[in-house]
Amino acid sequence: MSMYKSGLDMLRSALRSTSLWKCDSLLRTQTSLCYNSKILAVQSQLGRKSTQGHAFKQVRYYSQSSEEVLNVQIKQTAASTETSEPSDKAERTPFYAHLQNCLGPTDVLDTLKQFPASQQHISSIFSRMWESSKRMTDEQRRCELQLMYEHPVFEEVCERAVTDAWRMRSDDLAYSLLAIVNLGVSQNTRLVQTLLRVIQERLNQFDIRSLSVLASCIREMENSRNIQALREALRLLLKDRIPEIQNVVVLQSMMRAVGKNSPVHLKKELATKALSLADEFSPPNTQYMFSSLAAMGLNFKPLLDVCSKKIAENVHEFPFNRLLSVLKSCHELHYRNYNLFSSISEYMANTFDMWSNKQVILFVVTFENLLFRPVVLLDAFAERIIQKSDSLTQKDLLSVLKVFSLLNHDLKEKKTEFLVSVTTVLESYLPKMSPTDLLKAVHYLALLEHFPQAPLEKLLQEDTLDQLLDKGKQSDKIQRWLHTLDLCLRLDKDQLPTSLSSVPDLHITAPAHEVTVKQEVLRAVRSIVGNDAVQDSVLEQSIYFIDCVITLPHQTQETCGLNAEDSGSPQCVQRIAVVCASPASFCFGTTHPRANLVIKLRHLKKLGYKPVLVPVLELNSKAEEEMIKMLQKLIFPALGSTGMQEIPNSSPKTE
């Protein structure tokens, strides 16, 4: 197997088998402007009969805002623009003065009629065109880009870039490619391919900042063989350059560019380097570190903990979209931090009047994905819903029902008002609601022990059920929802509307699932109550798995109200269901049951069991004797109570 001395050698080898000059054309627009379209197609041809369509797309520079990138680059280069670094002498020339006054791409091209561009101006020209277009609205940008492609000077600039690319500096090459790609020029054109070819030849000469710009650019480009080879070469080159990186923005750009397919050791080296620079993190740096790690697919807990602490301490400095981005990155990385989540939710609750329904819903849905229950925020949102329930759209309503039901949020004395409000909204959307959405809504309300008549009657109509039963054959989720509905219709009969015309027996079979009993728990329970009193691996209603059932007589005859000769009756027998629950069955940081565990406990009680909930995570850290003592505390207090006992928890906070 051949070995490569550098990433450049590997890249050259990969490129020998590909056609670098894939398209001998510069972009030239031949289509009319369409104001109703979000994508502007451009045609290109240069001495060829066939034409090829190209599409504009907007790509952000780095992960930072343009203002932050500007500040960083001004400090590093003392340049007068964000995306170019001409010399001090060049900055004083009339060309650059006029360039900075241009308000759009066509203004830049008009300026070139007065001041012919030299080789050192190419990067500044393309960068200024891109920068000026970013400040426009979408409609203005589409119009300006169309005019830019029709402008006769644009082709001249592109030809000049192709001619002078071999004489351009490394940073000019990187910035030119970045601007050209973001202006929507297809990477199959001769212009882009020429720049890529020159970059490939001179990759080893790029400094860290130029590599950072290049990494940001190719990260957004189509994953062709040429780009894939360039990415691989960049990773190999980056490995030796990591110690040189001293700027957080540059480092984050590199982290985002290496991607999830990079070797783990390279990801960890970058994360370790970031950790060494943690003292220099600004508030935006801490937020972008989450998204940078998510872009690499690396859960590096030491770095995430540092960033979480900084965000929690300065949560008021972050705008809405950045806080939401942090939470989404946490979900993607499977990272949870109770203090971070609490700080964000409390800040949202304290500034609740600032946020619209849509913003609040985005937050609470993300919190639910993280299994976190923001108590104060949900209480405030419920109060708003009670007062202004008509402001909820159908999509909003389904999100609200999902969050409040899956998190099993207790609204206490406000529960009835809340349920009446959301039911009223639900009934208003019934005529246009699809069977699947109706099933979702009824399922979520069933978790909250609420069965409104109108939605339930519509759901139980024969044609609606037939559609759902057909869909259930292809979807396990719909099948589970139908099975839950079937259980509720049979086990929650006392709470169903008395005027409900008919309650069909759906005979839904739950999707098969394999669950095994926790042997250490079974041994501990048998050591407490004896072998004869314990039955393991009990499956109720084809869906509710019970690790073990303890069958014991009542302690006194008075408890069951029978005579002495009838004391052996089944009515005087207690069945205790020991249910081992994983951390995902509780809201994060608490022992508050959530989602399907809630309805499981409710139905087990109606089936005559007294549930005892055992947190598996807490048991795993205990020795056998400690486990037995813990189970004794959990089981025996249940013998004398009719409801669920409180469960001790060693998590950061217990609700």
Side-chain angles (χ1 to χ4, degrees), residues 236-275:
L236 294 174
L237 189 61
L238 179 60
K239 183 179 179 181
D240 298 328
R241 297 285 192 92
I242 291 177
E244 301 176 24
I245 304 175
Q246 298 301 324
N247 182 273
V248 178
V249 174
V250 172
L251 177 61
Q252 289 177 330
S253 180
M254 292 294 193
M255 293 170 69
R256 297 170 70 88
V258 298
K260 297 180 180 179
N261 296 327
S262 299
V264 176
H265 65 85
L266 176 60
K267 299 178 186 178
K268 289 186 176 180
E269 286 182 23
L270 287 167
T272 303
K273 180 66 178 181
L275 186 61

Side-chain angles (χ1 to χ4, degrees), residues 26-76:
L26 294 172
L27 291 176
R28 192 175 186 115
T29 305
Q30 296 181 350
T31 58
S32 61
L33 179 63
C34 178
Y35 289 97
N36 294 327
S37 172
K38 293 185 178 179
I39 298 177
L40 179 63
V42 292
Q43 304 288 338
S44 63
Q45 65 175 24
L46 186 65
R48 302 178 69 171
K49 294 182 179 179
S50 62
T51 60
Q52 180 177 0
H54 304 274
F56 285 120
K57 62 178 181 179
Q58 182 181 8
V59 183
R60 284 190 59 81
Y61 175 62
Y62 294 150
S63 59
Q64 275 74 7
S65 63
S66 58
E67 292 79 11
E68 182 177 357
V69 176
L70 176 62
N71 293 335
V72 171
Q73 292 182 348
I74 286 178
K75 293 178 182 178
Q76 291 182 337

Side-chain angles (χ1 to χ4, degrees), residues 154-183:
F154 181 71
E155 186 170 340
E156 296 176 10
V157 176
C158 292
E159 290 176 348
R160 187 61 184 272
V162 171
T163 303
D164 293 340
W166 305 93
R167 293 187 292 273
M168 293 170 66
R169 297 179 301 179
S170 299
D171 54 348
D172 286 338
L173 285 169
Y175 282 120
S176 296
L177 181 64
L178 177 69
I180 289 168
V181 170
N182 282 283
L183 284 170

Side-chain angles (χ1 to χ4, degrees), residues 563-575:
N563 298 326
E565 58 271 16
D566 297 324
S567 60
S569 173
Q571 285 85 348
C572 284
V573 173
Q574 289 194 84
R575 293 189 302 167

Side-chain angles (χ1 to χ4, degrees), residues 446-484:
L447 292 178
L448 294 170
E449 292 187 85
H450 185 59
F451 302 92
Q453 180 177 345
L456 199 55
E457 284 189 339
K458 181 174 182 180
L459 181 63
L460 296 179
Q461 290 177 359
E462 186 176 354
D463 57 338
T464 305
L465 285 177
D466 288 343
Q467 293 182 51
L468 290 172
L469 290 171
D470 288 339
K471 290 183 179 180
K473 296 175 182 178
Q474 288 83 34
S475 172
D476 285 346
K477 181 178 289 187
I478 292 180
Q479 198 172 0
R480 282 194 295 270
W481 287 343
L482 287 170
H483 188 263
T484 302

Side-chain angles (χ1 to χ4, degrees), residues 546-559:
I546 306 173
D547 287 80
C548 58
V549 175
I550 304 172
T551 305
L552 295 175
H554 280 285
Q555 295 177 349
T556 62
Q557 298 171 12
E558 290 78 7
T559 305

